[in-house]
Amino acid sequence: MPDSYYVSLDICDYRNNEVINIYADEYILTEKENFVDSIRSLSGKFDAIICSHNLENCNDRYGKLKAILDKFNNRVKLYLSFQSEKTINFPKNYGCLNYYDDPNHKKPSPRF
C-alpha cells in the first residue's frame, strides 16, 4: 500500500531483522511502562490498527484498548490477536504454546 503511512510501535526489536525500517514510515520503540502513553502521543487518526501479541504483556490492558480506540478515525479496521489464557494447561514449549512460556505475560484478567 504505497499511499499508506505506516507507524510501528513496540517495546523491543523482536525478530524484525531490520525489515521494519523498509516498511515503516515511523518506527517507535518505547518502554513497556510507557506503552499506553506512547499510543496516546501518536498524532492523527488511523484507518487500520493491528495489535498483535502484546495485550497479554500489558499492565493496563483496558488503558491500552482505550488509547487504541481513541486513535480510530470513522472508517477504521482493527485486528487484535493475543494468546488465550486457555493455553495455561498446554505443554511448555519454546514459542509460546503455553500462555506462561513467555515470562512477560501478565496474569490473565477475569474480565477478558
Side-chain angles (χ1 to χ4, degrees), residues 31-54:
E31 301 292 325
K32 63 182 174 181
E33 298 81 15
N34 299 328
F35 199 76
V36 172
D37 288 334
S38 295
I39 294 170
R40 289 183 184 129
S41 71
L42 295 171
S43 62
K45 301 285 184 175
F46 294 86
D47 294 328
I49 297 175
I50 300 169
C51 182
S52 179
H53 291 274
N54 54 41

Side-chain angles (χ1 to χ4, degrees), residues 25-75:
D25 296 294
E26 288 184 61
Y27 182 44
I28 303 165
L29 291 176
T30 187
E31 301 292 325
K32 63 182 174 181
E33 298 81 15
N34 299 328
F35 199 76
V36 172
D37 288 334
S38 295
I39 294 170
R40 289 183 184 129
S41 71
L42 295 171
S43 62
K45 301 285 184 175
F46 294 86
D47 294 328
I49 297 175
I50 300 169
C51 182
S52 179
H53 291 274
N54 54 41
L55 198 57
E56 59 270 34
N57 297 303
C58 292
N59 289 328
D60 183 7
R61 294 174 179 161
Y62 296 100
K64 178 182 177 181
L65 287 173
K66 171 75 169 96
I68 289 171
L69 291 172
D70 289 343
K71 292 296 167 182
F72 284 1
N73 73 16
N74 59 357
R75 56 186 186 125

